[in-house]
Amino acid sequence: PEPAGAGSSRMVTSAPECNPTPVNSNSSLTVCSKCAELDKTTSPIRGTAARAGKRQIRRDMQNGCVVILQHFQGQNAAFAASSSFKSWQISDLSCTERSKTKPAREHRMSSVGDTVLLIFAWLSLLIAFLCALWIAADEARHPQAMGVMNVVWPVSALYFSVFAVWAYYRLGRPKTKEAMRHMKHAHHGGEGLLTAAQVAVGTSHCGAGCALADIACEFAIAAAGLTLFGSSLWASFAIDLAAAWALGIVFQYFAIKPMRKVTPGQAIVAAIKADTLSILAFQVGMYAFMALTYFVFFPHQHLEPFDARYWLLMQAAMICGFATSFPMNAWLLRIGLKERM
């Protein structure tokens, strides 16, 4: 043991096992080549407890070659307090927090987008339904000369909305019974050049049958849980096509029968010839948009017919069907397979 008070001016020296070497002639630092200790040989450590702690540290260094860099503690503390270190900490934390919160933020954005789309879907369906009621109410007072058109115009409003109302007053009102009675020379559209208005009316006639069939079948398929090849989409394609073709033929029958004044059998054959290609063209455009909705817009969580968003996109799909069917109807009207209305 050290004599009392002997450490007041005693200098700390290295252990016999260490081989301290001065860093340079002007430095008070020594470096041990064995355990890489950095220490100040001129630093006085007063007191028995301090010397005992120092010896314990040296024993730990000898046993485990612990590197104690006391000289750099002050520098490390200064660096930790510096603005660059704090900036690095904040930046690193921000990056970490951003990586953790990114999925949650994307989920919130997706939820907000779904809510906005749902509200817009309900507004669109409500406006379309009101437009259909408006046209139906006007037709009750001013019925169409061709009876089937009393169904075609309101059904067209279910997907064309306010544009169908404009088209009705522009193209449908001149074809009411009283309007036709006041015409001196009521013609059936067989003469003259084919107009875009005639093609649009003929296409809407085809589209009304497809739209009614699609609406009824989509609800039935969803309620029954029907699938084809493991997917409800293929079941919709197959069943909708069959129902749309059958209903389209019925619509076309009631257009051809009074205009051509033929037998029921002849009217059915003529309707099949007139509307088969037109219905196929309509369904192609509608199915293309339905496939986009199923595989691209909502690939993971598919929309169901009991969701308003489904029918908002179906409105767009039916408009696409109208667009693809328009050229086909123009050709059918031009060659005389369909009647001009």
Side-chain angles (χ1 to χ4, degrees), residues 226-264:
L226 299 178
T227 60
L228 181 63
F229 304 120
S231 173
S232 61
L233 180 67
W234 309 128
S236 297
F237 282 4
I239 297 174
D240 288 356
L241 178 60
W245 181 80
L247 196 56
I249 297 304
V250 172
F251 272 52
Q252 193 63 35
Y253 171 86
F254 286 104
I256 291 177
K257 180 71 169 61
M259 295 184 72
R260 296 186 182 180
K261 297 184 174 12
V262 294
T263 64

Side-chain angles (χ1 to χ4, degrees), residues 4-292:
S8 58
S9 61
R10 183 183 177 88
M11 306 304 292
V12 177
T13 59
S14 300
E17 293 79 359
C18 296
N19 184 22
T21 304
V23 175
N24 53 57
S25 59
N26 298 323
S27 175
S28 61
L29 293 178
T30 59
V31 179
C32 176
S33 59
K34 179 178 179 181
C35 48
E37 180 193 11
L38 290 177
D39 197 0
K40 289 186 178 181
T41 59
T42 60
S43 298
I45 300 179
R46 298 178 175 87
T48 304
R51 288 195 298 274
K54 189 66 176 180
R55 286 194 296 269
Q56 181 63 39
I57 291 174
R58 286 176 176 172
R59 281 195 295 271
D60 293 339
M61 292 168 59
Q62 294 170 9
N63 296 332
C65 285
V66 179
V67 180
I68 301 176
L69 303 177
Q70 295 178 344
H71 176 70
F72 296 103
Q73 285 182 349
Q75 295 183 6
N76 291 339
F79 175 72
S82 65
S83 59
S84 60
F85 178 74
K86 292 180 179 179
S87 300
W88 174 81
Q89 279 188 318
I90 295 171
S91 176
D92 181 68
L93 179 62
S94 301
C95 293
T96 304
E97 291 300 321
R98 283 197 297 269
S99 64
K100 289 181 180 179
T101 58
K102 185 177 180 180
R105 185 166 61 251
E106 290 179 351
H107 177 71
R108 288 195 298 270
M109 292 176 63
S110 177
S111 299
V112 171
D114 289 342
T115 302
V116 172
L117 183 62
L118 183 63
I119 294 173
F120 184 77
W122 277 113
L123 288 175
S124 177
L125 295 176
L126 178 62
I127 293 172
F129 186 72
L130 291 176
C131 289
L133 287 180
W134 181 277
I135 294 175
D138 190 78
E139 287 177 335
R141 294 175 296 167
H142 310 283
Q144 294 284 297
M146 186 178 294
V148 71
M149 294 303 296
N150 290 315
V151 179
V152 170
W153 286 113
V155 172
S156 299
L158 292 178
Y159 61 97
F160 266 117
S161 192
V162 294
F163 298 102
V165 176
W166 172 83
Y168 168 73
Y169 280 100
R170 179 74 173 79
L171 305 175
R173 264 302 194 90
K175 300 291 180 150
T176 60
K177 289 182 178 180
E178 59 263 41
M180 297 297 290
R181 283 197 298 265
H182 287 85
M183 291 178 65
K184 294 182 180 180
H185 304 286
H187 62 279
H188 296 291
E191 304 86 4
L193 295 175
L194 182 66
T195 65
Q198 291 173 326
V199 178
V201 173
T203 306
S204 67
H205 184 273
C206 161
C210 294
L212 283 179
D214 293 330
I215 292 171
C217 290
E218 289 300 313
F219 279 116
I221 291 169
L226 299 178
T227 60
L228 181 63
F229 304 120
S231 173
S232 61
L233 180 67
W234 309 128
S236 297
F237 282 4
I239 297 174
D240 288 356
L241 178 60
W245 181 80
L247 196 56
I249 297 304
V250 172
F251 272 52
Q252 193 63 35
Y253 171 86
F254 286 104
I256 291 177
K257 180 71 169 61
M259 295 184 72
R260 296 186 182 180
K261 297 184 174 12
V262 294
T263 64
Q266 292 173 327
I268 291 175
V269 172
I272 292 173
K273 292 179 179 179
D275 237 27
T276 297
L277 293 177
S278 177
I279 291 170
L280 286 174
F282 189 95
Q283 295 297 106
V284 164
M286 190 181 74
Y287 287 172
F289 195 88
M290 289 176 67
L292 281 176

Side-chain angles (χ1 to χ4, degrees), residues 301-313:
Q301 187 177 1
H302 304 304
L303 298 180
E304 298 291 336
F306 302 103
D307 189 332
R309 296 172 298 174
Y310 182 89
W311 292 108
L312 171 67
L313 296 174

